[in-house]
Amino acid sequence: MITLVENGAWLLPDGCLVHNDAAGISLLEKSGLAADQEAGKKKTIAYDILQAHNTADQPGQLKIKFDAMASHDITFVGIIQTARASGMTAFPLPYVLTNCHNTLCAVGGTINEDDHLFGLSAAKKYGGIYVPPHLAVIHQYMREQMAACGSMILGSDSHTRYGALGTMAIGEGGGELAKQLLQKTYDVAYPQVVAVELIGRPRQGVGPQDVALAIIGATFNNGFLKNKIVEFVGEGISHLDMDFRNGIDVMTTETTCLSSIWRTDEAVREYLALHGRPEAYRRLAPSAGAFYDSLIRLDLSKVEPMIALPMHPSNVYTIKTLQENLEDILAKTERDARELIDNPKINFSLQDKIIGGRLQVDQGVIAGCAGGTYANISEAARIIGKGPTGQGAYSLSVYPSSQPVMLALTKNGDLTSLMSAGAIIRSAFCGPCFGAGDVPANNSLSIRHTTRNFPSREGSKPANGQIASVALMDARSIAATSLNQGRLTAATELDYDAAIPPYTYDSAPYDSRVYQGFGKPRPAETLRLGPGITDWPAMPALPKHALISIVSFINDPVTTTDELIPSGETSSYRSNPLGLAEFTLSRKDPAYVGNAKAIQALEKARQSLPEKEADTGAGSGAGREADAAAAAAQAASATEKELEALLDLVRKVPGFSEAAWQDLAISSAIYAKKPGDGSAREQAASCQRVLGAGANIAAEYATKRYRSNLLNWGMLPFLYEGQPPFGKGDTLFFPHIREAIAGDTSAIEGWLLGEQPQRLLFSIAPLTKDEAAILQAGSLINYNRQG
């Protein structure tokens, strides 16, 4: 079904890809092409698009300016607040503000709708595009209205992917969008490009989520696509309609790739013309002789209905394999989940859902940018017919991805059919993807055609002893399961007519409600600021020498952004940095906030030391002893004694016997093996920062976007190779850190403090000049204010 080729591949004139080995190179040369890898890399679609948007003049480095941007209502407030604090007066590029996450306004009193009205007032003041609640999920609107062949779009949501429409799109943290609003660039080393060669035609009953899960299952754990660009080619593309392509494309985020791009054809032309934008089409295809760093070959005809069991999209099996090994696979999933959750209050179980030899699920959901498309829902309606879906505990909810999609499904009768079968139809909303919609009962299993199934993505709260879980499946197999009233069923087990009516697009919902303000800013417009919208607190610059206390130590193989800052119920506080920070690591390490605040209080006490006391390390001998005696007389509090003890430990480090507080600062940090998988939300980093964090330490970072968030919030993204000799509660000393990050960061000296300080070596992946300056300034906001 799927083959991974690591040593590269060449594109022949006939469109076939051959391996970068002797046989493949021989075929390439027989076709009259030279095996020149550097020249071949310039023949990819990705190269053309990147270079068209690149402003850098040095080889291997990209400084990208995007054509458009998109944010939703749990990210755009912070982005705009950051940009306006840095001097922005108008949006310099089309910026779409959608309202698809806090759509229900169900938590937090007026807070959610205040954010929406802030977005509308910002669109008017700065010249933006405002999409009201319930009208469209962010990525469906961008597909319908903004994607264009050869363009680049930046979004503050990790699933910003429009490659199937010829747009290279990247999901990043809010700091990167603020940079674009300030007419700065997105800086990244030139990425590797991986070809995904699709061949064959999918069988009836197999959908885009099945193909996507097959790719994720083959590539996530081995990092095959991490921070790379995925370029889809091959004759199999021609056998897929646009909703099918978009459904695969949006899920490439779960491979941890940087972005995606597809070759374009008549199907793309027709899609763009149907949506009133024929001028957005142009043909994109790699040239003969294109060289790819690696290759994935996928035979669509061999893909089977898939399921990603809790608690990650890469925990993939075919439904057939699961059914044949039900007890063993569920037992393994239980063990893995219990280890991940690590909460003795919770008895996570799945095997009790085996009834009559089949898995009985409790809920089905088809929703969002991945599941809620026209073709997915229409084919699901043909499978279910008029049902019924049953009078038991099992329920099915369907969320069309936009009002135009809902309108088309209403006109063709599909929604009528689904409602008659017992399905509940809801408006466009991303809630089921991040834990704020259709939250199931304790210990329930929900099957969803959405994007993620991390812990708590369905809305449960393990810290409170509650747990539910999600398995990802395609809409077709969810429909087949619904027809069997919750008994897990692959769509290929059923015989049904898969032909769906042609899609008819009607722009009336957008024409009536979307505010189109790009290029028409109104500077006199007043921003509408609700009580929950607050400015960022002050953040200190990087000191000459840094003391960093480890306040949380996470040994899990991967730490998701949901674990760093929970989704779901916290979304109402996204515009309040200090309010949101109270939830930091609450589902993974409930003691984190208190521990971080204790270190933050210690740093505030250091800052308030009298000048004489702060200079205790400046002298020597009797003078220093006199100063120490004076300080001791003033040190009535435990905090001051703690500072004295800490400074004494620093003075045990070779070369620092005269250390003084005026050159030092104290901050906190977390250690995690591989943090940052999942969402692009900058709050995963900013919440740590506002609680006084100065760094993360990791074996590796799961995604570029999380590392970018750390950088933009002034947090040092340290790497440490091997098992750390330090743990929670330990303090590390980094001498001359301000100077170190301006130079070679491949070997940074750090010391584990103690009676016998231990010298350690850390590293930071190469920094651009701007990134180093942002870290020195203490945050992107500080850097911009400095001019």
Side-chain angles (χ1 to χ4, degrees):
M1 175 177 68
I2 188 166
T3 305
L4 307 183
V5 180
E6 293 192 41
N7 66 334
W10 298 92
L11 182 69
L12 298 179
D14 62 3
C16 293
L17 282 158
V18 295
H19 297 186
N20 182 34
D21 55 18
I25 291 173
S26 177
L27 289 172
L28 181 74
E29 292 175 342
K30 284 180 181 178
S31 70
L33 295 167
D36 184 338
Q37 291 188 17
E38 289 307 309
K41 289 179 180 182
K42 296 179 180 180
K43 296 180 179 182
T44 63
I45 306 170
Y47 180 84
D48 286 343
I49 295 176
L50 288 171
Q51 285 305 116
H53 294 80
N54 185 23
T55 64
D57 55 7
Q58 63 254 51
Q61 183 65 36
L62 296 171
K63 298 176 80 67
I64 298 295
K65 286 201 169 182
F66 289 84
D67 299 297
M69 300 199 308
S71 293
H72 51 64
D73 49 344
I74 62 174
T75 57
F76 64 60
V77 177
I79 292 165
I80 294 168
Q81 289 282 72
T82 299
R84 78 184 187 98
S86 304
M88 179 200 68
T89 57
F91 295 158
L93 74 172
Y95 186 18
V96 177
L97 311 178
T98 67
N99 294 271
C100 52
H101 279 58
N102 278 341
T103 309
L104 297 182
C105 300
V107 180
T110 68
I111 293 174
N112 300 286
E113 188 63 9
D114 286 345
D115 287 353
H116 299 163
L117 293 181
F118 172 92
L120 177 58
S121 67
K124 291 179 177 179
K125 183 178 185 66
Y126 300 118
I129 300 166
Y130 176 83
V131 183
H134 301 282
L135 213 56
V137 300
I138 179 172
H139 303 309
Q140 185 64 18
Y141 183 86
M142 297 304 287
R143 291 167 186 157
E144 293 172 349
Q145 295 294 301
M146 301 299 293
C149 297
S151 70
M152 291 190 72
I153 291 176
L154 183 65
S156 57
D157 183 272
S158 58
H159 291 99
T160 304
R161 291 284 188 273
Y162 317 119
L165 290 163
T167 298
M168 190 178 290
I170 297 175
E172 269 285 0
E176 293 301 326
L177 279 80
K179 286 180 183 176
Q180 294 288 310
L181 292 177
L182 297 164
Q183 303 190 58
K184 299 181 186 295
T185 57
Y186 176 76
D187 301 345
V188 63
Y190 192 90
Q192 290 190 8
V193 181
V194 180
V196 178
E197 184 182 22
L198 300 180
I199 61 176
R201 182 192 302 265
R203 294 180 293 150
Q204 179 172 304
V206 170
Q209 190 80 326
D210 299 315
V211 177
L213 292 177
I215 296 172
I216 295 163
T219 62
F220 175 80
N221 288 320
N222 57 20
F224 195 79
L225 295 176
K226 182 178 176 180
N227 294 333
K228 300 174 185 177
I229 291 178
V230 185
E231 186 160 309
F232 285 82
V233 295
E235 53 85 19
I237 292 176
S238 301
H239 303 306
L240 307 178
D241 64 38
M242 288 311 304
D243 277 352
F244 205 117
R245 299 181 200 184
N246 286 329
I248 298 171
D249 187 60
V250 73
M251 291 297 292
T252 60
T253 293
E254 302 311 318
T255 70
T256 69
C257 72
L258 179 69
S259 188
S260 63
I261 194 67
W262 295 53
R263 71 160 176 82
T264 60
D265 56 14
E266 284 303 304
V268 179
R269 184 197 296 273
E270 290 170 6
Y271 181 95
L272 293 171
L274 178 66
H275 289 83
R277 300 188 297 117
E279 74 287 350
Y281 176 78
R282 74 180 166 93
R283 184 177 179 275
L284 301 177
S287 301
F291 178 77
Y292 295 95
D293 295 284
S294 48
L295 167 67
I296 298 173
R297 181 170 283 121
L298 176 60
D299 187 342
L300 293 167
S301 68
K302 294 182 180 179
V303 177
E304 295 186 42
M306 311 292 285
I307 183 169
L309 290 171
M311 304 268 178
H312 199 276
S314 63
N315 190 19
V316 174
Y317 300 88
T318 66
I319 292 177
K320 180 181 178 182
T321 297
L322 175 62
Q323 290 173 331
E324 291 173 349
N325 305 274
L326 198 53
E327 290 186 4
D328 290 343
I329 291 174
L330 293 184
K332 179 182 183 303
T333 303
E334 287 177 353
R335 290 193 300 271
D336 292 345
R338 286 171 185 158
E339 184 177 345
L340 181 65
I341 297 167
D342 191 25
N343 185 341
K345 297 179 183 178
I346 292 175
N347 180 28
F348 179 77
S349 63
L350 291 173
Q351 293 182 77
D352 57 2
K353 301 185 185 303
I354 301 174
I355 300 175
R358 298 288 288 266
L359 181 64
Q360 178 70 35
V361 302
D362 304 292
Q363 182 192 68
V365 177
I366 301 171
C369 55
T373 59
Y374 174 82
N376 285 337
I377 295 173
S378 189
E379 192 166 339
R382 268 136 195 82
I383 293 170
I384 294 175
K386 292 187 178 179
T389 56
Q391 294 82 39
Y394 179 81
S395 63
L396 173 66
S397 295
V398 177
Y399 294 71
S401 55
S402 70
Q403 285 289 84
V405 169
M406 180 177 275
L407 195 55
L409 291 165
T410 301
K411 290 177 179 178
N412 74 12
D414 285 339
L415 293 190
T416 301
S417 176
L418 287 167
M419 285 190 285
S420 297
I424 304 302
I425 309 301
R426 307 190 190 278
S427 61
F429 178 39
C430 296
C433 292
F434 70 93
D438 280 305
V439 178
N442 184 56
N443 210 38
S444 291
L445 174 63
S446 177
I447 52 173
R448 300 189 175 191
H449 192 156
T450 56
T451 56
R452 290 200 173 114
N453 61 339
F454 298 162
S456 308
R457 286 298 279 207
E458 75 303 309
S460 63
K461 298 180 181 179
N464 293 347
Q466 183 202 22
I467 189 65
S469 55
V470 167
L472 299 180
M473 286 170 49
D474 188 80
R476 291 147 192 81
S477 291
I478 293 174
T481 301
S482 301
L483 187 62
N484 284 335
Q485 300 177 33
R487 295 180 69 217
L488 184 68
T489 306
T492 50
E493 296 178 41
L494 305 181
D495 183 21
Y496 67 97
D497 182 1
I500 65 174
Y503 177 57
T504 56
Y505 174 73
D506 186 341
S507 65
Y510 294 157
D511 298 340
S512 298
R513 291 288 294 134
V514 174
Y515 175 78
Q516 297 285 353
F518 176 63
K520 299 174 286 187
R522 304 179 189 174
E525 187 80 24
T526 300
L527 283 180
R528 181 157 176 167
L529 299 170
I533 299 174
T534 60
D535 291 329
W536 293 105
M539 282 160 273
L542 186 67
K544 182 177 180 179
H545 313 299
L547 283 165
I548 295 178
S549 178
I550 309 299
V551 294
S552 186
F553 193 94
I554 304 170
N555 237 339
D556 295 347
V558 179
T559 303
T560 69
T561 47
D562 276 22
E563 292 170 308
L564 294 167
I565 184 64
S567 56
E569 81 279 6
T570 65
S571 59
S572 293
Y573 301 91
R574 298 293 181 196
S575 306
N576 183 339
L578 292 173
L580 182 63
E582 294 293 326
F583 295 90
T584 311
L585 279 168
S586 59
R587 292 176 181 165
K588 194 65 189 174
D589 183 0
Y592 169 81
V593 171
N595 292 335
K597 285 183 176 180
I599 300 302
Q600 190 174 39
L602 198 62
E603 166 60 10
K604 288 180 179 177
R606 182 203 67 81
Q607 294 172 11
S608 65
L609 288 173
E611 183 177 349
K612 184 178 180 183
E613 186 175 347
D615 288 342
T616 52
S620 61
R624 194 177 73 188
E625 291 175 4
D627 287 343
Q634 296 174 5
S637 73
T639 300
E640 290 172 330
K641 291 178 181 178
E642 187 175 356
L643 286 170
E644 285 183 13
L646 193 54
L647 188 59
D648 285 342
L649 291 177
V650 172
R651 288 172 176 164
K652 294 179 185 295
V653 174
F656 282 86
S657 60
E658 306 295 323
W661 275 126
Q662 70 261 28
D663 292 330
L664 295 166
I666 309 166
S667 64
S668 62
I670 67 167
Y671 171 84
K673 282 187 177 179
K674 189 178 179 180
D677 184 29
S679 172
R681 287 172 298 163
E682 64 180 302
Q683 293 95 344
S686 65
C687 284
Q688 296 176 54
R689 183 62 168 151
V690 301
L691 290 173
N696 273 196
I697 305 173
E700 65 174 303
Y701 292 96
T703 58
K704 178 202 172 295
R705 55 184 173 268
Y706 180 66
R707 183 177 181 273
S708 294
N709 286 336
L710 294 176
L711 291 169
N712 286 328
W713 287 106
M715 297 170 64
L716 298 160
F718 284 121
L719 295 168
Y720 187 83
E721 187 173 345
Q723 185 61 33
F726 51 84
K728 186 174 180 178
D730 285 334
T731 299
L732 299 167
F733 173 57
F734 291 92
H736 306 289
I737 187 62
R738 188 177 179 87
E739 178 184 345
I741 65 164
D744 180 5
T745 57
S746 61
I748 298 175
E749 181 183 69
W751 292 82
L752 174 58
L753 294 183
E755 287 303 313
Q756 297 294 325
Q758 181 180 352
R759 184 176 182 270
L760 306 173
L761 281 181
F762 297 79
S763 65
I764 295 176
L767 299 167
T768 67
K769 183 178 179 181
D770 286 348
E771 287 170 343
I774 290 168
L775 287 174
Q776 289 177 330
S779 69
L780 178 64
I781 294 175
N782 293 355
Y783 173 72
N784 289 328
R785 283 174 176 165
Q786 291 173 2

